[in-house]
């Protein structure tokens, strides 16, 4: 599994591709990459990112199109924690400075990378025609609120994806990243309710000095303390 520690072994072009795909938060063709960032993702650079499981490339038609996998998103979100590749020079080092400051700001705002970069209708893919606007209706449709049971199901699903084994500890920051589209208040309420389940444990981290700003921002307040880690399954 690739981690930010592997970033120094990536080429500047591979890192640039991860960053552009993250900030665009959509599938990009090589034509769009060229128009947006001045490069394409081909050859060895493309092959390595695909082999590492960071990028999914659609080769069924030309121009080839690329998007980040879940693993690619994880590494891209944490690029700021890695040392820039020496071959990148000042441009790549400057990019890492930007990413570090971006991460700090998102932590302060308690906004995930996925939610921050999420595409809206106004920023649809450049390669796709804009859909015709739907005819106006007399009553506006409203989204049904998500029930507490549904949120708990989402939490358990995210935990299964993140945990190395049942009962293993998972940081709430990672859970929140997986559930970036879930209302924070609803998620907090579900976590507090889950504490009463026999198979659920939510605890604070004893060594508070080890907590990152991201960990602190993701904490859920239960009782009189912030909690940072979740385990579901046998102790």
């Amino acid at each position: 599994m690739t981690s930010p520690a592997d970033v120094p072994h990536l080429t500047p072009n591979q890192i640039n591709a991860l960053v552009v795909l993250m900030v665009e938060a959509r599938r990009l063709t090589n034509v769009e990459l060229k128009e947006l960032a001045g490069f394409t993702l081909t050859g060895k650079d493309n092959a390595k990112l695909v082999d590492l499981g960071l990028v999914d490339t659609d080769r069924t038609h030309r121009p080839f199109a690329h998007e980040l996998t879940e693993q690619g998103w994880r590494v891209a979100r944490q690029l700021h924690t890695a040392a820039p590749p020496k071959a990148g020079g000042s441009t790549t080092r400057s990019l890492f400075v930007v990413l570090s400051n971006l991460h700090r700001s998102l932590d302060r705002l308690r906004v995930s990378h996925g939610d921050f970069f999420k595409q809206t209708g106004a920023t649809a893919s450049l390669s796709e025609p804009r859909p015709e606007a739907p005819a106006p209706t007399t009553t506006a449709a409203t989204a049904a609120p998500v029930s507490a049971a549904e949120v708990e199901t989402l939490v358990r699903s995210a935990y299964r994806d993140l945990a190395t084994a049942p009962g293993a500890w998972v940081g709430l920051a990672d859970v929140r990243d997986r559930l970036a589209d879930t209302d924070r208040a609803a998620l907090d309420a579900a976590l507090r309710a889950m504490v009463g389940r026999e198979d659920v444990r939510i605890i604070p981290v004893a060594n508070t000095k080890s907590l990152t700003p991201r960990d602190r921002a993701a904490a859920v307040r239960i009782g009189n303390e912030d909690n940072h880690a979740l385990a579901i399954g046998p102790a």
Side-chain angles (χ1 to χ4, degrees):
M1 180 176 291
T2 304
S3 72
D6 299 310
V7 170
H9 303 295
L10 298 178
T11 68
N13 197 61
Q14 290 163 356
I15 291 172
N16 290 341
L18 293 179
V19 172
V20 173
L21 290 172
M22 175 178 68
V23 300
E24 280 295 302
R26 61 188 175 97
R27 184 177 290 268
L28 292 175
T29 67
N30 276 327
V31 172
E32 291 174 306
L33 275 173
K34 185 69 173 179
E35 291 175 348
L36 289 168
F39 68 90
T40 58
L41 184 56
T42 58
K44 293 181 179 180
D45 283 335
N46 180 215
K48 183 168 184 178
L49 292 180
V50 170
D51 289 344
L52 290 173
L54 304 181
V55 169
D56 176 62
T57 297
D58 181 3
R59 295 187 173 88
T60 60
H61 57 82
R62 290 182 179 275
F64 294 165
H66 319 278
E67 65 179 335
L68 290 180
T69 63
E70 287 190 13
Q71 177 71 0
W73 266 100
R74 189 180 74 84
V75 171
R77 287 195 302 264
Q78 299 177 13
L79 277 172
H80 70 284
T81 65
K86 295 180 180 179
S90 60
T91 300
T92 302
R93 296 181 71 85
S94 296
L95 175 62
F96 275 67
V97 172
V98 172
L99 292 174
S100 180
N101 282 275
L102 170 68
H103 184 85
R104 185 178 67 247
S105 297
L106 294 183
D107 270 344
R108 185 176 68 251
L109 296 172
R110 297 190 176 186
V111 176
S112 72
H113 288 67
D115 198 44
F116 182 77
F117 291 121
K118 181 170 60 179
Q119 289 285 341
T120 64
T123 52
S125 172
L126 299 176
S127 62
E128 298 176 356
R130 294 182 181 273
E132 293 183 4
T137 58
T138 54
T139 58
T142 57
V146 180
S147 69
E150 290 174 314
V151 177
E152 179 172 340
T153 298
L154 292 174
V155 172
R156 288 179 178 273
S157 177
Y159 176 83
R160 285 194 298 270
D161 290 342
L162 292 165
T164 56
W169 290 107
V170 167
L172 288 181
D174 292 331
V175 174
R176 290 195 192 277
D177 277 351
R178 285 296 181 102
L179 304 180
D181 293 333
T182 304
D183 177 73
R184 182 176 179 113
L187 180 52
D188 284 355
L191 290 170
R192 293 187 183 103
M194 289 175 69
V195 172
R197 308 279 189 260
E198 290 186 1
D199 63 334
V200 176
R201 287 161 292 150
I202 301 176
I203 65 169
V205 170
N207 181 13
T208 56
K209 292 183 179 179
S210 69
L211 293 172
T212 66
R214 175 171 172 266
D215 294 323
R216 295 179 188 279
V220 60
R221 191 78 173 176
I222 300 176
N224 294 319
E225 60 184 354
D226 288 335
N227 294 261
H228 314 92
L230 166 70
I232 301 177

